[in-house]
């Protein structure tokens, strides 16, 4: 199965920032580089997709990160989506980082 990079970027994270969204069926994976986080930064990463009933995007996984990351590469494992996929990062406190990211499909 071939892996294709479909989008890359570096996004400044404010209160709630939509990093990526696509309303297309597929198998998606993502890599987010949390290296730019400062000691006072608190982020929540939410991954959503439009699932079986196609009733809109639903959060399927979320993780919280605080401070400088000793292992800064956050991998979102490949997941199937019938109708769409999105990543939102919420900064609840601290310095605003600009995080690099890459989205791939299979």
């Amino acid at each position: 199965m071939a892996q294709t990079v479909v989008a890359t970027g570096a996004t400044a994270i404010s209160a709630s920032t939509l990093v990526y969204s696509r309303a297309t069926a597929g198998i998606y994976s993502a890599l987010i580089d949390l290296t730019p986080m400062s000691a006072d930064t608190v982020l929540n990463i939410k991954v959503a997709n439009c699932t079986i009933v196609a009733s809109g995007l639903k959060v399927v996984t979320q993780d919280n990160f605080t401070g400088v990351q000793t292992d800064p590469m956050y991998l979102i494992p490949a997941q199937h989506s019938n109708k769409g996929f999105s990543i939102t990062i919420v900064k609840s406190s601290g310095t605003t980082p600009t995080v690099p990211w890459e989205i791939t499909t299979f």
Side-chain angles (χ1 to χ4, degrees), residues 7-93:
T8 60
T11 304
I13 307 303
S14 61
S16 182
T17 305
L18 179 64
V19 173
Y20 179 82
S21 183
R22 179 164 291 172
T24 305
I27 300 172
Y28 294 90
S29 180
L31 188 61
I32 300 173
D33 185 353
L34 300 176
T35 301
M37 288 181 66
S38 299
D40 64 343
T41 305
V42 177
L43 299 179
N44 175 269
I45 299 175
K46 297 179 181 181
V47 179
N49 79 43
C50 195
T51 57
I52 299 165
V53 296
S55 60
L57 289 168
K58 305 291 186 197
V59 173
V60 293
T61 187
Q62 63 181 340
D63 289 293
N64 294 303
F65 299 90
T66 301
V68 175
Q69 299 298 299
T70 55
D71 297 312
M73 301 308 289
Y74 177 66
L75 174 68
I76 297 166
Q79 59 180 273
H80 176 266
S81 174
N82 290 332
K83 303 284 183 187
F85 175 83
S86 75
I87 299 170
T88 301
I89 302 178
V90 178
K91 182 188 78 158
S92 57
S93 67

